[in-house]
Structure formats: structure tokens, C-alpha cells
Amino acid sequence: MTVKMISVVKNGLHGTVKIPGDKSVSHRSIMFGAMNESGKTVHITNFLESADCLSTVGVMRSLGTKVEKLSDGEMMVTGIGLNGLKEPSTVLDAGNSGTTLRLMMGMLAGRPFLSTFAGDASLSRRPMGRVIVPLSKMGARIVGREKNSRLPITVLPCDDGEKLKAITYDMPMASAQVKSAILLAGLRADGPVTVIEPYTSRDHTERLLSASGVKIEKSRTAVTVYPTERLDVPTEIAVPGDISSAAFWLVAGSIIENSELLLTGVGMNETRTGIVDALKNMGADLTIKNKRISGGEPIADILVRTAKLKATCLTEEIIPRLIDEIPVIAVAALLAEGTTTITGAGELRVKETDRLQAIVDEFNKIAPGHVDGTEEGLIIHGVTDRSKLISAHCKSYDDHRMAMSLAVLGCVCGLSIENADCVNISYPVFYDTLEMLSK
Ligand code: S3P
């Protein structure tokens, strides 16, 4: 068990951070590269070499794809065609990664071979029925523990030549992982497949499908994919910086006195920028500069300076646009003036840990009585006197975003974090960057 001590940052955070590659786009770049026409390569730059994305690399290799590391953050994938994946000889290990598991279930549904997935303790607790149900409606045969809802999961073979069935599916929740699994399975269906979300979640899969020559139609929160025989994946994918990683610096730079940070190459896909809207609404001093396009996604640099924050109210429509940022937004809210309410965020209960409960339990050690949990959200009473904050010993619950959010809070009050090395899941150099910016 690693315990990380986070000390109070006395003179602000200063410097420039090149934001590491986007986790969602990194996963997809490898998966799409594999589905490319046989022998065609995809060159990926700014690839996020974190534990989660390496789970996808491992799974794709087990399925017969060539994935080479050329240099740090630079990968080369050689396609084996949409129908070229091979039966794995061992269990596919998705590690901690929901994206690997859920998207790959969509890619492996209705194949003429058997594949079995396993994962770590956290992933084994997370709900998978949300993907198995729609894929089963398409004719895939998938079995798992607890009435086909938990790992380990086996995708059974279909008869050779048999196609998945076209469906229109109303998703009960906004989820890019569920949507992507259905769209990826839809590539091999016998007709167009439509998914409808309550609110639009991140659209990286749709963008990459479109860029690979697949016919995609969008109408409000519905997406339709047309089946295809082949993908022409872009030969170069420059992964944008992950706004979910930038989020820690957006909040840290805002709440730590005398800070000024320049975050470069941040992905600004509008399905992901809820954090920028929320923080601006709270009074954060953010300047967005140098907007440009990279790898089919908008990116920009963001200058953040310390500001006095005020409370906000986040309701269900914005949640999918900042789903992974709620723990660190909760840090901003704890140090803002007034009471912040977050509703419609029940999905946080089924992330790497129950993040609503984790925030309530850990934040109340630092600021007793300031955070109340509701079934689907949080009520956070801002702390006006920072000297009252307690330097507590906190748990990460092995959840990377909880660990990093607590570290940001620790820059204000000092604290220790148990199992702190789980940041490797999405941001391996997080603590080094924090140290560099505090000097
Ligand atoms: C992701 C989708 C989101 C997000 C996760 C990455 C993706 O999950 O929380 O970190 O890459 O599609 P849900 O689909 O469960 O909301």
C-alpha cells in the first residue's frame, strides 16, 4: 500500500502543463486501428500510456492485432480488418478499465469464436448488464456472473456467417461506453442500428467511425450507424490532451492562492467541456486560447489563474459532459462561497468506486459536516475559513480520480492518501507534475 503525503502549497502553482493524451480517444485509436483494412497501419501520437489504455493494448494483442510502441506516446497498429479478429487462447484481462471491457464486448459480439473477460476487483463489481442486454437483443450470446451482469463474462460464438440483428435501442442512462458498444456491434449488423440516449454522452466513437468512412447519422440524442464491410481509419491519429486530466489543474489553479497555469493541447470536444462551463459559472478565471483541430477533435490551451469561487448548481443535463470531473468539481465547491447542489449524478455510484459515497466520507474528514450525499447527488456547503480544514488521512478507494481530487484538496490543507498510486490508471505522471508546479 502506498501512502502519499500531500503538503500545503504555499506560493501557488506555476508553469505550463502539456496535458497527457485523452484516455477515451487512446482506447479507441487502438481498437479502430485493429479494425482497419488488413495490413494498413495507423500511427498514433500523444497516446496515453496509462494502465487502462495498456489493458486495451493487451486485449487487442490477444485477439491477433499487431500493436507496437515506437517511442513514448507513439504507437503503430496494423489492421486485421473488421472480421479479422482471432479467438484468444487465454482470458482477456480488462484490468480496471470499463471502457476496454464494454467496448470490446461490442466488438466481440456475434463473432464465430469464444472470448472470456476478467478484470480487477473494482471492475468485477461494476454493472455489465447495461451492455449485455442490448447486445443480446442484437442476437449476441453473452453470459456472466449474477444473471449475466458481472465479470467474468463470456461472449459465446455465433454460427459463421450469421449477422447481428439491427435494433433501435433506448438507453436507460447516458453512457458513451454503452452507446459505443452498440455502435461497434452495429458495424456487423444486418441493417442500421440506432441508439437513443437521455442526454448526449461523449461522441469520440461516432467521430472516429465517421472519419473511417462509416455512415453515421445524428438526430438530437440519437445516433444511427450503418453496417459496413470495411473501415478506412485515418493513417494518423494525434490524440488530444485529456480534459478530464486537465480538470485537476483547472481546479487546483483556481483554488490555490497565487497560481497561474497554462494547460496546453486540451481536448475541447463539446461533449466533454462541462467542467469549463461549470467552473466559469463559479467565477473561475479561465482564458481559452489558440483553438485548433487535432486528430479530428477541437483542442485549445487554457490559462487558469486563482479566483474567488462561488457555489453552483449542476443538474442532470450537464452531468454527461462532466461525468468524470465531479470529484474535483466537489473540491472546488468545498472551497467556494455558498452551497453547491449536484443532482442527476447517480451514475457516479457505479464508477471505479461509489464516488458519491467516497466524496461524502473523505471530504467530511477534512471539513466535518460540509458534505451531504443524496441518492443521485451531493450538497456541498462551502468552507469560508480554510484554517478550519483538517489534515486528514484519506482513502482513495483505489480510484484514480478520487486520489487526484484529494491531492488537489491536499494542496490547500495538507493530507495523506492511502493507495495513492492508482493515479497510474489515467495519469501516471500526476504527482511529478504537481511537484514540478509547486516549486
Ligand atoms: C468513457 C465513458 C464514461 C466515462 C469513462 C470513459 C468512454 O463512462 O466515465 O471514464 O471512454 O466511453 P460511462 O459510459 O459509464 O458514462
Side-chain angles (χ1 to χ4, degrees):
M1 184 178 79
T2 52
V3 175
K4 181 89 189 166
M5 308 298 292
I6 305 287
S7 340
V8 175
V9 170
K10 297 218 171 70
N11 303 313
L13 295 179
H14 297 272
T16 299
V17 187
K18 183 179 180 300
I19 299 300
D22 187 277
K23 182 158 78 73
S24 295
V25 178
S26 294
H27 282 295
R28 287 160 174 82
S29 65
I30 300 287
M31 294 175 189
F32 274 73
M35 290 189 291
N36 209 7
E37 279 293 274
S38 188
K40 286 199 173 170
T41 54
V42 175
H43 178 232
I44 307 164
T45 49
N46 202 32
F47 176 79
L48 177 69
E49 285 180 67
S50 73
D52 258 18
C53 300
L54 294 177
S55 292
T56 289
V57 169
V59 166
M60 289 317 309
R61 284 182 178 148
S62 305
L63 292 163
T65 311
K66 190 167 158 199
V67 185
E68 298 159 278
K69 174 173 167 162
L70 302 184
S71 68
D72 284 348
E74 189 190 8
M75 309 292 277
M76 181 77 95
V77 188
T78 307
I80 46 174
L82 188 56
N83 297 310
L85 296 179
K86 305 269 181 318
E87 182 168 71
S89 54
T90 52
V91 170
L92 301 170
D93 184 5
N96 188 250
S97 175
T99 307
T100 308
L101 176 58
R102 293 194 176 120
L103 270 61
M104 289 310 303
M105 277 200 261
M107 272 178 75
L108 291 174
R111 302 267 177 187
F113 58 78
L114 179 139
S115 36
T116 294
F117 288 99
D120 73 1
S122 154
L123 195 61
S124 303
R125 283 190 295 267
R126 296 179 68 186
M128 297 303 149
R130 52 179 62 199
V131 177
I132 297 177
V133 166
L135 293 178
S136 304
K137 284 186 198 289
M138 295 176 77
R141 290 187 304 141
I142 307 178
V143 292
R145 202 166 53 86
E146 289 186 22
K147 297 195 181 124
N148 303 333
S149 72
R150 299 277 188 281
L151 281 175
I153 285 169
T154 294
V155 184
L156 295 163
C158 275
D159 291 340
D160 214 351
E162 193 184 322
K163 289 212 161 190
L164 291 169
K165 289 197 278 290
I167 57 164
T168 293
Y169 188 67
D170 250 308
M171 286 171 45
M173 76 295 285
S175 161
Q177 293 177 354
V178 176
K179 172 175 64 177
S180 301
I182 301 169
L183 293 176
L184 291 172
L187 292 172
R188 293 170 291 110
D190 60 6
V193 167
T194 301
V195 273
I196 306 159
E197 291 188 281
Y199 298 100
T200 301
S201 62
R202 67 192 64 190
D203 66 356
H204 307 297
T205 300
E206 296 90 297
R207 280 173 186 256
L208 265 176
L209 284 172
S210 222
S212 304
V214 177
K215 185 173 170 198
I216 288 279
E217 276 168 8
K218 287 190 191 184
S219 160
R220 295 161 59 86
T221 63
V223 185
T224 302
V225 65
Y226 287 78
T228 183
E229 290 299 317
R230 55 178 286 168
L231 266 74
D232 284 309
V233 184
T235 49
E236 290 284 334
I237 300 180
V239 179
D242 198 330
I243 191 164
S244 299
S245 298
F248 300 105
W249 310 124
L250 291 174
V251 171
S254 298
I255 62 172
I256 301 165
E257 296 297 330
N258 298 317
S259 296
E260 181 169 318
L261 298 174
L262 180 66
L263 314 177
T264 63
V266 185
M268 296 296 284
N269 177 317
E270 70 189 33
T271 61
R272 302 283 302 277
T273 48
I275 173 89
V276 172
D277 298 346
L279 286 176
K280 279 191 169 168
N281 200 261
M282 295 174 82
D285 181 353
L286 309 181
T287 311
I288 296 168
K289 309 171 169 209
N290 200 8
K291 288 186 189 166
R292 55 210 188 267
I293 300 285
S294 176
E297 297 267 352
I299 65 168
D301 302 334
I302 308 180
L303 180 69
V304 48
R305 295 195 190 94
T306 313
K308 201 166 159 29
L309 300 183
K310 55 182 191 315
T312 189
C313 170
L314 302 177
T315 50
E316 61 177 353
E317 342 53 87
I318 198 171
I319 301 299
R321 294 182 56 234
L322 44 69
I323 184 77
D324 291 339
E325 289 67 76
I326 290 176
V328 78
I329 291 175
V331 172
L334 188 67
L335 299 175
E337 194 188 328
T339 297
T340 292
T341 54
I342 302 177
T343 53
E347 276 295 299
L348 262 75
R349 296 213 180 270
V350 289
K351 292 293 176 190
E352 285 81 334
T353 188
D354 175 344
R355 287 185 177 157
L356 296 179
Q357 193 58 47
I359 292 167
V360 171
D361 290 346
E362 301 312 300
F363 286 29
N364 278 325
K365 290 181 185 166
I366 300 158
H370 279 262
V371 184
D372 299 318
T374 64
E375 206 177 315
E376 298 220 320
L378 296 166
I379 302 167
I380 303 171
H381 308 283
V383 173
T384 38
D385 181 357
R386 293 185 177 195
S387 69
K388 298 248 165 68
L389 295 172
I390 299 165
S391 302
H393 179 68
C394 297
K395 290 191 208 163
S396 70
Y397 303 90
D398 264 331
D399 180 328
H400 53 130
R401 300 201 199 281
M402 280 308 300
M404 292 185 276
S405 301
L406 287 165
V408 170
L409 185 50
C411 293
V412 172
C413 57
L415 49 75
S416 53
I417 307 169
E418 248 176 51
N419 285 357
D421 54 3
C422 56
V423 302
N424 289 333
I425 292 295
S426 66
Y427 203 159
V429 298
F430 175 80
Y431 297 118
D432 301 331
T433 306
L434 177 58
E435 201 179 309
M436 185 263 291
L437 299 173
S438 330
K439 276 194 182 129

